């Protein structure tokens, strides 16, 4: 089992089918965190709670994750990309190995899997995911 960073193949096709509305005020997209036992990759088609992390104390994380804000599509040169505001889980105690961005509004359909490059642990602190600059070379979600 492993988390492999990729834009999900089903998402690419669904974009052409008009399934996802990434514009501000469109669909609600969420980010769910997973353990190293999860299998997430380009073949992932939907959110699942299997091997999702659990908060070991407090209530910083709940099943399904957290809604992403500032979902902002843009064009960088000839590459379409999407930016999200950084997301934080405060008073958190857990270990995560990666995450899945998915469309909560539209059938929990998978958008992309993100690998953290190993387990990341927080103990009674703030766990923050910082999204890279939304450009053709760095955006977490880009279609060239």
């Amino acid at each position: 089992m492993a988390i492999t960073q990729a834009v999900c193949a089903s998402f690419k096709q669904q974009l052409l089918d008009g399934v996802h509305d990434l514009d501000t005020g469109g669909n609600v997209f969420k980010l769910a965190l997973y353990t190293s036992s999860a299998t997430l990759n380009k073949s992932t088609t939907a959110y699942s709670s299997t091997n999702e992390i659990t908060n070991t104390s407090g209530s910083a994380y709940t099943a399904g994750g957290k809604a992403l804000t500032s979902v902002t599509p843009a064009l960088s040169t000839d590459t379409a990309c999407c930016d999200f505001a950084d997301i934080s889980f405060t008073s958190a105690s857990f270990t995560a190995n990666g995450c899945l961005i998915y469309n909560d509004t539209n059938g929990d359909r998978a958008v992309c899997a993100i690998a953290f490059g190993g387990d990341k642990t927080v103990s009674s602190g703030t766990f923050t995911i910082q999204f890279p600059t939304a450009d053709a070379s760095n955006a977490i979600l880009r279609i060239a």
Side-chain angles (χ1 to χ4, degrees):
M1 296 183 209
I3 299 174
T4 305
Q5 188 143 320
V7 174
C8 300
S10 58
F11 173 74
K12 294 175 189 177
Q13 179 181 349
Q14 291 162 2
L15 278 178
L16 297 177
D17 292 336
V19 171
H20 301 278
D21 182 355
L22 287 152
D23 203 9
T24 301
N27 297 152
V28 173
F29 292 84
K30 284 188 167 183
L31 182 143
L33 297 170
Y34 289 87
T35 70
S36 59
S37 297
T39 300
L40 300 172
N41 53 45
K42 68 179 182 179
S43 299
T44 302
T45 59
Y47 160 78
S48 169
S49 61
T50 302
N51 294 311
E52 188 173 8
I53 67 125
T54 55
N55 202 46
T56 56
S57 67
S59 59
Y61 188 84
T62 56
K66 237 179 176 179
L68 292 166
T69 60
S70 299
V71 180
T72 309
L75 192 60
S76 175
T77 315
D78 292 329
T79 301
C81 52
C82 193
D83 191 22
F84 306 100
D86 296 347
I87 190 168
S88 293
F89 300 88
T90 57
S91 300
S93 294
F94 56 72
T95 299
N97 191 270
C99 65
L100 179 73
I101 295 175
Y102 69 96
N103 188 335
D104 187 51
T105 302
N106 204 333
D108 293 343
R109 294 173 183 192
V111 173
C112 65
I114 301 169
F116 294 162
D119 283 344
K120 305 298 178 191
T121 301
V122 62
S123 180
S124 299
T126 300
F127 187 88
T128 301
I129 296 174
Q130 295 177 321
F131 288 99
T133 305
D135 62 30
S137 300
N138 300 298
I140 202 72
L141 180 58
R142 51 186 189 266
I143 300 169

